[in-house]
Amino acid sequence: MMRLVVLISGRGSNLAALLSAAAAGTLPARVVGVLANCADAPGLETASAAGVPTRALDHRLFADREAFDTALAEAIDGFAPDLVVLAGFMRILGDRFVRRYAGRLINIHPSLLPAFPGLHTHRRALAEGVRVHGCTVHFVTPELDHGPIIVQAAVPVLDTDDEAALAARVLAQEHRIYPLAIRWFADGRLRLCDGRVLLASVQSDGGVLIAPQLVAV
Ligand code: GRF
């Protein structure tokens, strides 16, 4: 069974979606550890309630980013994960950390990247008047909210939307596509090769097609 370590900073609804998919048997993976950069992240309780070991590493107690990243990597490696999953982890990770986990570090971002990297994506989408918004799962590269795209889900932006309504519509899709992407990885169908996403899909004739990228949903 593939081993996942999930990094969070807050509420942990994406973590909860992964835990339920694993419990339901629709995700052939086990969350073996949850790490947070703040001890009061509500998602830590979700993890504990599911019997998953947790650790909080307060980034403010470290001299610099490098020192925090090193301690974080040690904590992660203690769980021996196959895949490291960023799920609302609000710290920028340094180049050395990102390279250490190249090809096995993924993130979910609440916009259709490359539009709206960074914070307040729903507010900015409304301010720009875009008609379509959504979320993206991608492999992590040193550049913030950037990296080879694995899967995206799009939602309409309605005239009646406020930030909360739009965020809720996007979040429902996040909870769908994150388990989906991780399932592909667990099934050995998804990998990063020379900076590109390779996703193998089984054809009706039983052959295997290697597509550079699949945008599902
Ligand atoms: C999600 O919108 C995710 O895309 C972003 O941070 C939020 C985390 O939400 N990176 P949750 O903690 O998973 O509920």
Side-chain angles (χ1 to χ4, degrees):
M1 189 74 84
M2 187 178 72
R3 299 169 66 83
L4 305 176
V5 163
V6 183
L7 272 54
I8 62 168
S9 295
R11 148 185 85 172
S13 70
N14 277 289
L15 165 67
L18 298 180
L19 289 169
S20 346
T26 56
L27 183 65
R30 190 155 68 92
V31 180
V32 294
V34 172
L35 297 169
N37 65 313
C38 36
D40 57 355
L44 288 175
E45 281 183 25
T46 307
S48 297
V52 177
T54 64
R55 253 192 89 183
L57 284 178
D58 186 339
H59 60 272
R60 293 165 302 187
L61 303 179
F62 292 85
D64 52 27
R65 190 179 301 285
E66 186 74 27
F68 173 70
D69 283 2
T70 301
L72 185 62
E74 275 168 17
I76 290 171
D77 293 349
F79 291 112
D82 300 296
L83 184 67
V84 180
V85 176
L86 305 181
F89 187 67
M90 302 301 284
R91 294 294 301 166
I92 293 174
L93 296 163
D95 286 20
R96 186 198 289 243
F97 180 96
V98 170
R99 287 186 215 294
R100 178 187 187 106
Y101 297 103
R104 51 192 190 104
L105 177 62
I106 61 175
N107 181 44
I108 190 158
H109 182 75
S111 78
L112 291 173
L113 291 173
F116 309 121
L119 299 174
H120 309 303
T121 56
H122 310 305
R123 191 185 310 168
R124 287 156 60 205
L126 288 171
E128 292 290 347
V130 298
R131 299 286 86 193
V132 179
H133 186 43
C135 48
T136 303
V137 178
H138 64 96
F139 283 106
V140 175
T141 58
E143 195 177 334
L144 179 69
D145 295 332
H146 190 268
I149 290 172
I150 299 166
V151 60
Q152 295 183 302
V155 302
V157 180
L158 308 180
D159 291 337
T160 50
D161 273 343
D162 58 13
E163 203 177 334
L166 184 55
R169 191 173 311 115
V170 171
L171 192 64
Q173 295 305 317
E174 293 187 36
H175 297 164
R176 230 176 120 197
I177 65 171
Y178 222 1
L180 177 68
I182 294 170
R183 188 157 72 235
W184 288 338
F185 194 90
D187 288 344
R189 292 175 51 195
L190 168 68
R191 69 190 161 91
L192 185 64
C193 187
D194 293 333
R196 304 215 49 188
V197 170
L198 291 186
L199 183 67
S201 53
V202 178
Q203 304 294 282
S204 51
D205 64 1
V208 174
L209 174 77
I210 306 290
Q213 178 184 311
L214 177 72
V215 176
V217 195

